[in-house]
Amino acid sequence: MPRLINRRPARAAATGLAVLPFLLAAVVYLTASQWRLAANPDDKLLPSPAAMVEAVGRLAFEPDRRSGGYVFWRDTAASLGRLLSGVGWAALIGLVFGVAVGLLPYLRAALTPFIAVLSMIPPLAVLPILFIVLGLGETAKIALIAIGIAPFLIRDLALQVEALPAEQLIKAQTLGANTAQIVCRVVLPQALPRLIDAVRLALGSAWLFLIAAEAIAATEGLGYRIFLVRLYLAMDVILPYVAWITVLAYAMDWALRLAKDRLFPWARAT
Amino acid sequence: MAWLSIRNLWLCFGEQVVLERIDLDVEAGSFCTIVGASGCGKSSFLRILLGELTPTRGRVLLDGRPLPAEPGPDRGVVFQRYSVFPHLTAEENVAVGLELARARWLGRCFGRRRRALLAEARRWLEEVGLGAAARRYPAQLSGGMQQRLAIAQALAVAPRLLLLDEPFGALDPGVRADMHALVGGLWRRLGMTVFMVTHDIQEAFALGTRVLVFDKVRLDPQAPGAYGATITYDLPLDRRRTPAETEQVAARCRRTEAFLGGAG
């Protein structure tokens, strides 16, 4: 009898095992939902799949009576726009400061403690300040996401740049490289795939900050809608919206992983 | 004055003396091999020549001028590991040195200029026997091939001084013999000066025109860091020697080996 750590599922079995928890969760939900609806057909807590499809269909494919737009898609576009701007700014800030702090000893000495302190500020505690200073518009929400994940990206990237073998930097100098050339040819190309990995790790937090900002001040967006319909206990909208957010987040993670493998094939081999 | 001249060089880290009283004159075109026990400062000596470490005392003159305090294109280097860039293919690894000299800011050329440099890089790869691997990334190359690549990369920018820090230490014996033939041949043809640190005394005698043995002559058991290593043996070898001299050198080699107590 081989040890447990040496027993591996075959390929088909592994796929089956991966699907199993999803199936189980679905079965548990459907059973509970049916059971509750049988006791009370007006129960709002665990709506049936049909009710959810109908609710989302109404939001996605019927124009809103007041605004004339399709609420579901407008929410999606608004949230994705905010998220991508926030993450984009954070990635840019993370790359610039991460590389600078990781590579230049003077900047490292000057900024490392400051960034370590900054990263300990809870971003949600800063949200009121952002609303006061930047107003209730898009800027404050994008700023919250950027402020929320940028310190992590800076620190992660700075560590990654510092971890580059010293031999590489010396080698580049013996090939005649100046600092700018070392950044362009040695550090940046190796920092980019690591930035993608760091962004993947930070995506969860980015969604958290997005939903929080939308819950407090917005007129559209996935997070706004969830908190709005909460007032009517509209679980038939909330649950599909949560699932949709999860799908979007997972798709982004997957796309980033694919982009990294395509753009930086060498990073997979090492 | 000799091409490379070192006078009373000391290297200390705080209280600890690593190298002391090193005097050395080396003519251009020499192949100096450096042997010594582990931790005797032979790599530190190489890193001083490289410009990575600054000597605590003494002076190093290269061609009559003080050695610059940071690495530069006049001194090439091959380390035991991490000598090549993992994100560049073999041909890009060699071409990058050529591009750096031509593109001041980005360090990258485009279009026809880049293609010409890549062609030149491939000629270097042919030279070291990597012609067929031009498009591969270092991670796809064996240890020996990576070191060949590192040598081609260093030589492509035509350094006057080539520094090798145990370049073949991690290679199999058979591969190492091939590398000796390669490095010996390139050195004879290109006429640069070489310093090579090695653990392998056979290698030191097989390749060098001059073998430098680093060791501590003074030792205080109460304070192991109080004295540093210096050059204890400086053995010039004539590459075109007679059989009688060969025997003499071999005898010296045996003595040195006995002296080092198998530390190498």
Side-chain angles (χ1 to χ4, degrees):
Chain A
M1 190 71 175
R3 290 176 182 79
L4 216 49
I5 57 164
N6 291 326
R7 298 173 67 184
R8 291 160 212 282
R11 192 169 249 260
T15 314
L17 284 173
V19 173
L20 194 62
F22 291 101
L23 270 182
L24 271 179
V27 167
V28 167
Y29 178 83
L30 290 177
T31 320
S33 161
Q34 225 160 23
W35 177 61
R36 275 187 77 98
L37 289 170
N40 172 16
D42 290 331
D43 178 65
K44 296 200 118 184
L45 201 59
L46 299 178
S48 70
M52 290 195 269
V53 167
E54 202 218 312
V56 173
R58 210 171 49 241
L59 291 174
F61 304 115
E62 290 170 25
D64 183 43
R65 249 173 291 158
R66 254 188 311 153
S67 63
Y70 294 88
V71 171
F72 180 79
W73 302 112
R74 286 216 336 225
D75 285 343
T76 303
S79 286
L80 281 185
R82 290 166 189 149
L83 189 82
L84 293 182
S85 317
V87 170
W89 280 109
L92 188 67
I93 295 167
L95 190 65
V96 170
F97 281 90
V99 166
V101 168
L103 191 62
L104 303 174
Y106 265 94
L107 275 184
R108 188 182 312 162
L111 292 183
T112 301
F114 185 65
I115 292 169
V117 169
L118 270 193
S119 69
M120 289 303 147
I121 300 174
L124 286 179
V126 181
L127 186 55
I129 304 176
L130 293 178
F131 280 141
I132 292 168
V133 175
L134 300 172
L136 297 177
E138 297 301 288
T139 319
K141 295 188 255 307
I142 292 168
L144 177 71
I145 297 170
I147 289 173
I149 63 174
F152 164 73
L153 296 181
I154 294 174
R155 296 178 90 191
D156 188 67
L157 224 58
L159 285 178
Q160 300 281 11
V161 170
E162 276 179 63
L164 285 179
E167 284 91 339
Q168 277 189 27
L169 300 184
I170 290 175
K171 182 79 196 198
Q173 296 177 64
T174 65
L175 297 176
N178 58 36
T179 301
Q181 289 174 323
I182 288 176
V183 169
C184 290
R185 291 303 311 263
V186 181
V187 179
L188 268 185
Q190 296 190 71
L192 282 174
R194 279 147 187 180
L195 176 70
I196 291 185
D197 278 338
V199 166
R200 286 178 61 195
L201 289 177
L203 265 187
S205 315
W207 277 99
L208 166 74
F209 296 130
L210 172 74
I211 307 266
E214 287 182 344
I216 292 172
T219 52
E220 57 185 359
L222 297 168
Y224 161 75
R225 194 69 51 197
I226 289 178
F227 276 82
L228 181 74
V229 300
R230 178 185 66 99
L231 303 174
Y232 317 114
L233 288 179
M235 287 291 271
D236 53 348
V237 172
I238 295 178
L239 287 177
Y241 260 66
V242 171
W244 178 236
I245 289 171
T246 312
V247 166
L248 290 176
Y250 189 79
M252 275 182 206
D253 184 69
W254 177 81
L256 283 172
R257 201 181 60 203
L258 200 73
K260 184 191 155 194
D261 283 355
R262 284 280 161 81
L263 295 173
F264 311 104
W266 58 268
R268 209 170 6 169
T270 47
Chain B
M1 199 205 284
W3 184 67
L4 175 72
S5 153
I6 297 175
R7 287 286 168 272
N8 193 32
L9 176 128
W10 290 64
L11 179 69
C12 312
F13 295 128
E15 290 284 284
Q16 195 189 356
V17 184
V18 178
L19 296 169
E20 61 177 51
R21 296 176 294 128
I22 290 184
D23 291 293
L24 187 67
D25 287 304
V26 174
E27 290 308 328
S30 310
F31 196 128
C32 295
T33 51
I34 301 173
V35 292
S38 295
C40 72
K42 51 192 193 302
S43 283
S44 298
F45 178 72
L46 207 69
R47 286 162 67 187
I48 290 175
L49 294 183
L50 187 57
E52 189 189 348
L53 290 177
T54 313
T56 314
R57 250 190 279 167
R59 55 164 206 199
V60 182
L61 295 181
L62 187 66
D63 223 357
R65 276 190 295 271
L67 199 70
E70 59 177 3
D74 53 339
R75 287 153 290 152
V77 68
V78 174
F79 296 107
Q80 189 172 355
R81 296 171 62 201
Y82 306 123
S83 287
V84 292
F85 300 116
H87 59 292
L88 300 176
T89 61
E91 59 181 6
E92 289 170 338
N93 255 297
V94 178
V96 69
L98 307 168
E99 290 180 272
L100 290 169
R102 288 162 181 80
R104 182 105 187 72
W105 289 101
L106 289 179
R108 186 189 172 102
C109 300
F110 297 92
R112 192 182 303 162
R113 275 214 312 178
R114 180 171 160 83
R115 281 196 295 280
L117 296 180
L118 285 174
E120 189 178 340
R122 281 194 294 276
R123 281 197 292 281
W124 276 106
L125 291 176
E126 296 286 349
E127 189 86 43
V128 298
L130 283 181
R135 297 278 162 82
R136 287 204 246 160
Y137 287 104
Q140 298 166 309
L141 302 176
S142 71
M145 291 165 90
Q146 288 190 23
Q147 292 306 77
R148 284 170 188 271
L149 175 58
I151 290 168
Q153 183 188 45
L155 293 181
V157 295
R160 294 185 299 165
L161 182 60
L162 181 63
L163 304 167
L164 308 172
D165 193 356
E166 298 191 30
F168 316 131
L171 304 182
D172 296 332
V175 179
R176 214 182 288 188
D178 293 344
M179 299 299 289
H180 291 170
L182 174 71
V183 168
L186 286 171
W187 166 71
R188 257 187 290 277
R189 210 160 53 71
L190 301 173
M192 71 240 160
T193 312
V194 180
F195 275 85
M196 180 168 92
V197 166
T198 174
H199 263 109
D200 182 348
I201 291 190
Q202 306 266 314
E203 182 172 273
F205 277 86
L207 279 174
T209 58
R210 194 166 168 186
V211 177
L212 305 172
V213 181
F214 276 55
D215 200 13
K216 292 187 179 188
V217 281
R218 302 182 286 177
L219 191 69
D220 182 346
Q222 258 69 50
Y227 299 108
T230 188
I231 298 173
T232 52
Y233 283 71
D234 182 351
L235 312 171
L237 307 177
D238 189 347
R239 303 307 302 168
R240 300 168 302 275
R241 55 197 172 225
T242 63
E245 285 168 334
T246 307
E247 179 45 41
Q248 240 181 327
V249 170
R252 267 199 306 230
C253 174
R254 283 193 292 275
R255 275 205 304 278
T256 312
E257 213 154 351
F259 168 74
L260 287 174

